[in-house]
Amino acid sequence: MIRDHFRVLVVDLNTGRGSVALVDGRDSVAGGSGLAAHLFMKYGKPDRPWNDPEQPLIFAIGPLTGYFPLMSKTVCAFKSPYHDQYAESHGGGRSALSLRFADLDALVITGRATRPSCISVGSRHLEVKEVHYLWGKDLYTTGKMLRSMFKGAGHRSILRIGPAGENGSAFACINVDSYRHFGRLGGGTVMGSKNLKGIVINGDGSFPLNGSKEYPKLFQDVYTKLTDTDMMSKYHDIGTPINMAVLNEVKMLPIRNLQRTTDPGISEITGEKFAELALLRNAACAGCPVGCIHIGFVREKFHSDYQYLYRQVSYDHEPIFAVGSMLSVENCFAVLSIIDVAEKVGLDIMSAGVALAWATEATEKGLISEKETIISLSFGDSEAYKQALQHLGQATNEFYRLLGQGTLKAAERYGGKDYACVLGQEMAGYATGEVYFASQALGLRHSHLDSGGYSYDQKETGKDPAKAVDFLVKDEQGRVLLTSMVACLFARGVYSDALLADCLKSVGYGTLADTLGQVSKNIQHLRWKTRIATGYRPEDVTIPKRFLEITTGKGPMDGAYLSSLKEQYAKAIRGLAAPGAAEAAPAKKSGTS
Ligand code: SF4
């Protein structure tokens, strides 16, 4: 639905009621990331803690969702239990299309239900249903029950949490339609703190395609560009796990709690190996012809007489790195079985895997023992890691409860801060060098996708901190425009600013199309302003010693370069958040991505 404002459903769990708010700002914040920050500033309480019942949990989509392919992400925003500051996490599945067909640009949930509950929303309904019988259930059982309780199969999206979200873990994710996640920074625990076990979004409405004459042709052009390029083969065939072998080859893969950056044992957990042995099928987010979701299987014997059951488990580069290479688990089926456990308890696999890697090294160094970990942890022992993940998700004892608040929190208590692989949050699967380490450590989402620091490390040979920081700032400016359109970032090579402007014009967003340069600057400023308002101090970010101890294909890390990068990036962030920053900053050149 084309409109010059946002249509937002605000649900108050204190009362079980909701109302539709018409919110201005389409031509300044566009949608997605921009809209989420805009709504947090409207409904959020920057100076109150993350679990204050009045804090909002926000889901926002973009102006092109439902009109063009790969506009298939939803931006989830909240105050994070991980650092008690503003956070964004992005997920796909059917969530974005379901919101579009429910005639909503955003869903905002405030308050706390008195009993465990589930929300169902659609184009003409809102129901808050008491579901005490789902509390404590794992993600698989919860999904099965929600699917049978609510109608709308094929049009609905189901968001749900597992026990980790109920137990206050800062690693708890929100699962979306089984194979996608709002993974990072603890959105699952924000749901849990609201007594909210599930959200069913029913895309049960429809809307006219009242675009211009150019729209059908442009749609076809975009579709062809997305499916005719090497993007299809890159993401569809082997998918993101193709990075495992590539990074291992150039000595940039985090291995064994980042004690190494390359290892021959990785050959058993490459993308090629998964595709050859464990791949069952591909799946796609709604509205995406690429289908990068790779689904493998876990087989379990349930009876001695060769009786087996199997479960389907999605995999990507990041989960394979987190519970494969980081834990030295070198068998693809063992990796899938660990991912399966993390799914059941509802943990963000990246944070959980990196945390267990630290716990294993801390065990080796004698800082902790079975007294804390309950089971003996050693690199490569997948059975022990499956049990440890259960304990982490269930917060079985004080050690696991603390570890679930973040690896550095546990390291502060037990020691071993030097080798806690934390860059703002637990690291992502790239050990490319100083620019990437600075970019994840200081970036707004502490995500490898905040900006292309990992590719800068691989392409650039010089060490000019000012040039690198300039790249990070400009690259982020381009990415926030894409995430405000809610484009999947895998399409960033196709959706240039010029193409985005054409797409917007073709469906009737002419003003937005004409001012995209300024809009991306506004959004970048607004997001940083929001993060800073909730207490972020970029100059206080530290990078553990382990990141300086490694050698990549480019050579040993340079501590002085990393320090300068951090210092200059922190200053740049302060500048981006300052009043008037959006007007002062130079706009990224149109047409680049
Ligand atoms: S490329 Fe993958 S993550 Fe992106 S929209 Fe398509 S299926 Fe979803």
Side-chain angles (χ1 to χ4, degrees):
M1 188 65 71
I2 306 303
R3 44 189 163 230
D4 60 5
H5 56 273
F6 301 105
R7 188 170 186 274
V8 180
L9 176 62
V10 184
V11 179
D12 179 359
L13 288 169
N14 294 331
T15 61
R17 292 169 189 276
S19 58
V20 170
L22 305 182
V23 176
D24 287 336
R26 173 69 77 188
D27 293 335
S28 57
V29 299
S33 287
L35 174 57
H38 187 54
L39 291 173
F40 186 85
M41 289 311 252
K42 183 174 168 65
Y43 295 101
K45 319 284 172 207
D47 49 353
R48 291 202 219 156
W50 69 271
N51 55 356
D52 185 303
E54 296 317 306
Q55 296 290 13
L57 176 63
I58 297 162
F59 298 93
I61 59 168
L64 297 172
T65 303
Y67 291 93
F68 283 93
L70 272 84
M71 295 294 173
S72 32
K73 297 286 177 180
T74 300
V75 173
C76 177
F78 47 89
K79 207 170 183 216
S80 164
Y82 192 90
H83 49 38
D84 203 22
Q85 294 161 16
Y86 180 70
E88 258 184 37
S89 185
H90 301 176
R94 287 186 296 273
S95 58
L97 266 279
S98 296
L99 280 166
R100 168 60 67 236
F101 283 93
D103 198 18
L104 295 172
D105 296 300
L107 171 65
V108 175
I109 301 165
T110 63
R112 177 184 289 147
T114 48
R115 308 259 294 152
S117 299
C118 175
I119 296 175
S120 167
V121 300
S123 62
R124 285 177 299 278
H125 82 274
L126 162 66
E127 180 187 5
V128 180
K129 196 179 173 81
E130 199 258 330
V131 292
H132 67 274
Y133 43 86
L134 289 182
W135 209 248
K137 294 274 187 292
D138 69 41
L139 264 175
Y140 293 154
T141 308
T142 304
K144 206 168 169 185
M145 291 178 75
L146 290 175
R147 284 193 290 275
S148 68
M149 284 161 57
F150 293 94
K151 58 183 185 179
H155 296 273
R156 72 186 170 199
S157 180
I158 297 182
L159 283 49
R160 59 196 195 262
I161 61 168
E166 301 167 15
N167 294 326
S169 169
F171 295 161
C173 71
I174 303 173
N175 177 289
V176 191
D177 302 324
S178 301
Y179 301 125
R180 298 283 92 181
H181 312 83
F182 296 105
R184 312 219 74 189
L185 293 170
T189 280
V190 176
M191 271 182 70
S193 77
K194 293 183 173 302
N195 259 336
L196 188 57
K197 184 73 176 174
I199 302 168
V200 180
I201 305 163
N202 205 340
D204 55 358
S206 62
F207 56 90
L209 266 181
N210 51 357
S212 63
K213 278 201 311 266
E214 290 76 44
Y215 171 72
K217 187 180 167 306
L218 187 58
F219 181 97
Q220 191 56 51
D221 284 353
V222 172
Y223 186 94
T224 306
K225 276 190 182 132
L226 286 166
T227 52
D228 240 17
T229 59
D230 64 355
M231 183 188 152
M232 250 330 245
S233 51
K234 181 171 174 198
Y235 293 113
H236 178 88
D237 296 353
I238 292 175
T240 56
I242 203 164
N243 289 336
M244 290 295 292
V246 173
L247 291 171
N248 191 47
E249 176 73 27
V250 294
K251 301 192 178 79
M252 291 179 173
L253 182 67
I255 296 168
R256 214 176 176 88
N257 199 37
L258 197 56
Q259 293 176 28
R260 302 174 197 154
T261 52
T262 188
D263 193 309
I266 297 309
S267 62
E268 293 304 307
I269 53 169
T270 60
E272 291 80 352
K273 201 55 109 178
F274 271 79
E276 203 180 297
L277 300 177
L279 178 62
L280 272 182
R281 64 189 176 93
N282 284 61
C285 300
C288 173
V290 176
C292 80
I293 305 172
H294 287 68
I295 299 174
F297 64 96
V298 167
R299 196 174 75 144
E300 268 173 16
K301 198 176 197 177
F302 68 90
H303 194 280
S304 56
D305 295 333
Y306 303 106
Q307 303 291 305
Y308 297 95
L309 60 81
Y310 81 91
R311 274 188 300 282
Q312 303 187 43
V313 180
S314 65
Y315 64 85
D316 265 300
H317 168 71
E318 303 298 346
I320 298 174
F321 129 79
V323 298
S325 65
M326 272 301 256
L327 299 179
S328 288
V329 172
E330 294 168 351
N331 173 286
C332 61
F333 291 107
V335 168
L336 284 172
S337 69
I338 303 175
I339 299 174
D340 180 49
V341 176
E343 289 284 13
K344 268 190 221 157
V345 290
L347 282 168
D348 166 36
I349 187 82
M350 291 164 70
S351 300
V354 173
L356 289 183
W358 168 83
T360 311
E361 189 168 337
T363 301
E364 281 183 345
K365 292 190 157 70
L367 295 180
I368 53 174
S369 66
E370 278 178 62
K371 188 164 142 282
E372 285 81 25
T373 58
I374 304 174
I375 27 96
S376 168
L377 296 179
S378 63
F379 285 113
D381 185 351
S382 57
E383 288 307 314
Y385 288 131
K386 280 155 69 175
Q387 290 181 49
L389 278 177
Q390 287 280 4
H391 291 306
L392 189 58
Q394 301 285 355
T396 310
N397 64 10
E398 177 56 14
F399 170 76
Y400 284 107
R401 192 202 63 73
L402 195 59
L403 187 59
Q405 300 309 303
T407 308
L408 273 178
K409 298 244 171 70
E412 269 159 26
R413 167 85 61 88
Y414 299 99
K417 276 167 88 171
D418 284 353
Y419 49 88
C421 294
V422 174
L423 294 166
Q425 66 177 327
E426 282 64 22
M427 76 178 299
Y430 304 85
T432 55
E434 298 90 344
V435 177
Y436 172 65
F437 295 155
S439 97
Q440 193 197 322
L442 277 80
L444 192 130
R445 292 200 281 141
H446 302 303
S447 163
H448 60 292
L449 295 170
D450 276 328
S451 54
Y454 52 88
S455 69
Y456 187 94
D457 277 329
Q458 291 176 71
K459 285 180 195 149
E460 285 288 328
T461 46
K463 288 184 183 174
D464 179 346
K467 184 177 167 196
V469 168
D470 187 55
F471 166 82
L472 294 178
V473 168
K474 295 221 173 85
D475 197 51
E476 182 200 58
Q477 202 182 101
R479 287 175 183 238
V480 295
L481 184 62
L482 284 166
T483 61
S484 296
M485 298 293 148
V486 298
C488 174
L489 286 175
F490 293 163
R492 61 188 180 275
V494 170
Y495 279 119
S496 63
D497 291 5
L499 183 59
L500 285 175
D502 288 345
C503 293
L504 287 165
K505 265 186 200 143
S506 76
V507 296
Y509 285 117
T511 311
L512 186 54
D514 288 340
T515 53
L516 279 186
Q518 186 57 46
V519 170
S520 64
K521 288 195 290 174
N522 290 345
I523 297 168
Q524 190 178 29
H525 163 64
L526 173 63
R527 288 170 85 238
W528 280 118
K529 189 177 90 170
T530 308
R531 178 81 199 267
I532 300 273
T534 55
Y536 184 45
R537 291 181 48 81
E539 50 283 329
D540 290 351
V541 171
T542 56
I543 296 183
K545 199 167 155 215
R546 174 56 48 85
F547 293 95
L548 290 169
E549 293 170 343
I550 63 164
T551 297
T552 71
K554 287 176 74 174
M557 288 302 102
D558 181 335
Y561 182 41
L562 182 56
S563 283
S564 302
L565 282 165
K566 258 181 60 206
E567 194 184 315
Q568 294 195 31
Y569 195 22
K571 267 193 201 138
I573 288 168
R574 285 283 176 193
L576 288 167
E583 289 73 41
K588 187 178 75 74
K589 260 205 230 148
S590 184
T592 57
S593 62

